[in-house]
Amino acid sequence: MKGYRISIIRHGLTEANEKGIYIGSTDMPLSSKGEAELAAKIDEYDYPTVHRVYTSPLRRCTGTAEILFPEIETIEADGLRELNFGEFEGKSVDELVGCSDYKAWLGGGREARPPKGESLEEMTARTFAAFHNIIIDMMNSGLTHCAVITHGGIISNLLTGFGLPKYDPKYLNAAPGEGFDLMITAQMWLNSQAFEILGYCPYNKVEESLAED
């Protein structure tokens, strides 16, 4: 049965990432450090050869796509945006730690929303729809290996929810400019809404393996 491979990669660093600030829907570009780190990773690691790149429309993702896959067709998918943190956008944990709304959000589960923000359940629904559309587009176009450039929260949420085998979530956090290779078949996805987690991306790193705790 034909398989479809997706390399799902987190965007490079932004100034907000460097400062430990919540940044979800805010359209912040890569920082100078982020751009330099991505350029260095291209020299150090082997990124996959892909037929197409699907990316979140936010500049930190489109900028990452331009650096990592400069000659490849890119399609923006709005559903790949990071979680909207609402009134917590642009604030650090230190600024929010005494806020009752922040405590309620952290303890409220997947249906809890930051004030004027988005819940994990809402984020999961839209990212699942976007990912489904990407898979169907790959199948219809006959593309067997594509890249997805998105956000750390999106990656860990997708892999935790739909990836097999089931790993401890702490092993599914992507570093900037890095991520995971996934394998999908039409039967596996359409029947079970699941994909196989193959391992880390990019390649030729120091030998590492995903392992359950």
Side-chain angles (χ1 to χ4, degrees):
M1 183 175 292
K2 189 172 185 179
Y4 300 86
R5 194 179 185 110
I6 292 178
S7 297
I8 188 165
I9 298 170
R10 183 185 175 191
H11 64 78
L13 282 175
T14 67
E15 289 186 6
N17 297 141
E18 295 171 31
K19 296 176 180 177
I21 293 172
Y22 280 106
I23 173 175
S25 60
T26 304
D27 194 9
M28 182 172 286
L30 295 170
S31 65
S32 296
K33 180 179 179 181
E35 291 177 346
E37 283 188 352
L38 290 176
K41 286 178 186 289
I42 292 174
D43 291 335
E44 186 175 358
Y45 302 133
D46 183 17
Y47 281 87
T49 299
V50 299
H51 304 116
R52 181 178 291 163
V53 179
Y54 300 90
T55 178
S56 159
L58 299 182
R59 286 181 292 168
R60 54 194 183 272
C61 291
T62 58
T64 298
E66 289 171 4
I67 293 172
L68 297 183
F69 303 101
E71 305 298 326
I72 307 300
E73 176 191 18
T74 299
I75 295 178
E76 295 181 8
D78 192 66
L80 294 176
R81 290 172 177 266
E82 180 60 288
L83 182 75
N84 181 349
F85 293 107
E87 293 182 359
F88 301 153
E89 289 270 340
K91 296 179 180 178
S92 68
V93 172
D94 288 343
E95 291 177 280
L96 294 169
V97 69
C99 173
S100 60
D101 285 339
Y102 182 64
K103 293 177 182 177
W105 174 57
L106 291 179
R110 295 182 59 83
E111 295 183 357
R113 293 188 192 92
K116 300 181 181 178
E118 180 181 29
S119 71
L120 285 175
E121 286 291 351
E122 291 167 331
M123 183 190 79
T124 299
R126 66 168 168 82
T127 54
F128 173 83
F131 201 71
H132 175 79
N133 289 339
I134 287 168
I135 294 168
I136 298 302
D137 189 48
M138 288 178 63
M139 292 177 181
N140 290 339
S141 303
L143 305 179
T144 55
H145 194 172
C146 292
V148 169
I149 310 294
T150 185
H151 308 266
I154 300 296
I155 294 173
S156 60
N157 194 57
L158 277 172
L159 269 61
T160 300
F162 307 106
L164 296 174
K166 292 298 182 184
Y167 293 108
D168 187 314
K170 70 183 179 184
Y171 293 109
L172 301 177
N173 291 319
E178 301 179 24
F180 301 86
D181 268 359
L182 316 176
M183 180 60 71
I184 300 157
T185 66
Q187 182 178 10
M188 190 176 187
W189 181 251
L190 296 176
N191 292 345
S192 304
Q193 291 76 55
F195 49 76
E196 182 182 0
I197 304 171
L198 298 180
Y200 295 109
C201 177
Y203 318 129
N204 296 339
K205 298 180 65 172
V206 175
E207 285 292 325
E208 292 182 285
S209 64
L210 287 166
E212 290 183 283
D213 191 24

